[in-house]
Amino acid sequence: MNHPASPVTTTVPRFEELVAPSHWRTVDFISDLHLQASEPATVAAFQQYLEGTTADALFILGDLFEVWVGDDAMSEPSSFEARGCALLRAAAQRLPVYFMHGNRDFLAGPAFLAGCGITGLADPTVLVFGGQRYVLSHGDLLCLDDVDYQRFRLQARSAAWQQQFLTQPLATRRVQARGIRQESEARKQSGATYADVDSPAAIAWMQAAGAHTLIHGHTHRPADHVLAAGLQRVVLSDWDAAALPPRLETLRLSSAGLERLPLAPK
Ligand SMILES: [Mn+2]
């Protein structure tokens, strides 16, 4: 096979593999809901979606939550995290739910997964469905031009950084998270442009994984890109039920291929 030359700009990661059981007819992918107490319409849309979906499995590819400051936040009975977990737990009784970290909820840990009855998914993972291979990723790792973020990501994913962050009192962590969010909001307002997925790196990943399709979120730029002959990059939509028009969408995989399904707001 003749592959286009792709400069190796990043180390190709190790790919976990998940083979879909043969009884799965449809799989849904969602990401970037950025669930938060201040956006109740999106939370309601998520609940409505979970209660109504006919998918045989749900894959959440990161940034389900706007922020996750530690699994102990779930133990506060009336916390937003406890509520989010209850929604997931109810859904997980009907269908398998898989959760991949995003750059906002990367601190969601084993207690979160166990408490919600959902399964963690490594980034990246290859899903084998109907004899085809799909690379699943949040997508942040592929935004190579975002050099400052890549540096932060490396640090924040280390055991030492996480241990140090998590030893602080919950209230302190919540305050810190608010500060980081305000900074990011200010950056957005300033019109700063965000890096997009690096095409050569995405191609390198797909070739290494033996896959024809990469499905990711993170960039909030939903589109289907053909990167090279037979290689496509499919970008999930973020969710915002209060936007005009609302952004609520799932990507559904079946034997017919991939299809974007708009969801009706409540
Ligand atoms: Mn993200």
Side-chain angles (χ1 to χ4, degrees), residues 19-239:
V19 179
S22 55
H23 68 268
W24 285 4
R25 292 170 172 277
T26 55
V27 173
D28 273 6
F29 304 97
I30 59 173
S31 73
D32 302 279
L33 280 71
H34 292 265
L35 297 179
Q36 50 197 304
S38 57
E39 292 184 6
T42 303
V43 179
F46 180 51
Q47 179 170 8
Q48 189 184 23
Y49 162 73
L50 288 177
E51 288 169 357
T53 183
T54 56
D56 294 308
L58 171 61
F59 286 75
I60 301 169
L61 301 186
D63 287 355
L64 175 64
F65 295 98
E66 169 70 3
V67 68
W68 192 267
V69 294
D71 292 353
D72 52 344
M74 268 164 40
S75 326
E76 288 184 325
S78 58
S79 70
F80 182 73
E81 290 86 349
R83 211 184 131 209
C85 194
L87 295 180
L88 289 166
R89 202 181 306 118
Q93 284 169 1
R94 291 203 306 116
L95 75 164
V97 177
Y98 294 86
F99 174 89
M100 184 182 280
H101 288 137
N103 53 302
R104 300 307 195 94
D105 49 19
F106 66 95
L107 281 173
F112 161 74
L113 297 173
C116 304
I118 64 179
T119 307
L121 204 59
D123 185 357
T125 289
V126 172
L127 173 67
V128 185
F129 180 91
Q132 306 278 354
R133 297 169 65 81
Y134 300 83
V135 177
L136 311 181
S137 177
H138 180 57
D140 53 328
L141 201 48
L142 284 164
C143 293
L144 302 183
D145 286 346
D146 210 339
V147 176
D148 288 347
Y149 168 70
Q150 294 300 342
R151 201 173 294 133
F152 169 76
R153 187 185 194 279
L154 204 60
Q155 185 190 31
R157 300 294 171 109
S158 73
W161 187 95
Q162 296 196 1
Q163 209 168 21
Q164 200 251 328
F165 182 81
L166 292 171
T167 49
Q168 302 174 94
L170 182 55
T172 311
R173 280 176 270 146
R174 288 199 190 281
V175 170
Q176 283 191 23
R178 213 170 300 140
I180 292 170
R181 252 169 56 197
Q182 278 162 359
E183 268 174 45
S184 129
E185 233 6 81
R187 190 181 159 197
K188 229 187 284 175
Q189 299 300 329
S190 77
T193 53
Y194 286 83
D196 203 349
V197 160
D198 183 83
S199 290
I203 291 169
W205 278 31
M206 280 188 267
Q207 289 176 342
H212 56 86
T213 302
L214 164 67
I215 299 171
H216 71 85
H218 181 62
T219 61
H220 300 200
R221 292 166 180 158
D224 303 348
H225 302 276
V226 175
L227 296 186
L231 298 182
Q232 62 169 341
R233 175 166 79 84
V234 179
V235 190
L236 301 172
S237 174
D238 63 317
W239 282 34

Side-chain angles (χ1 to χ4, degrees), residues 238-255:
D238 63 317
W239 282 34
D240 187 348
L244 290 172
R247 293 193 302 279
L248 301 167
E249 184 183 279
T250 178
L251 181 73
R252 177 159 291 187
L253 176 61
S254 69
S255 59

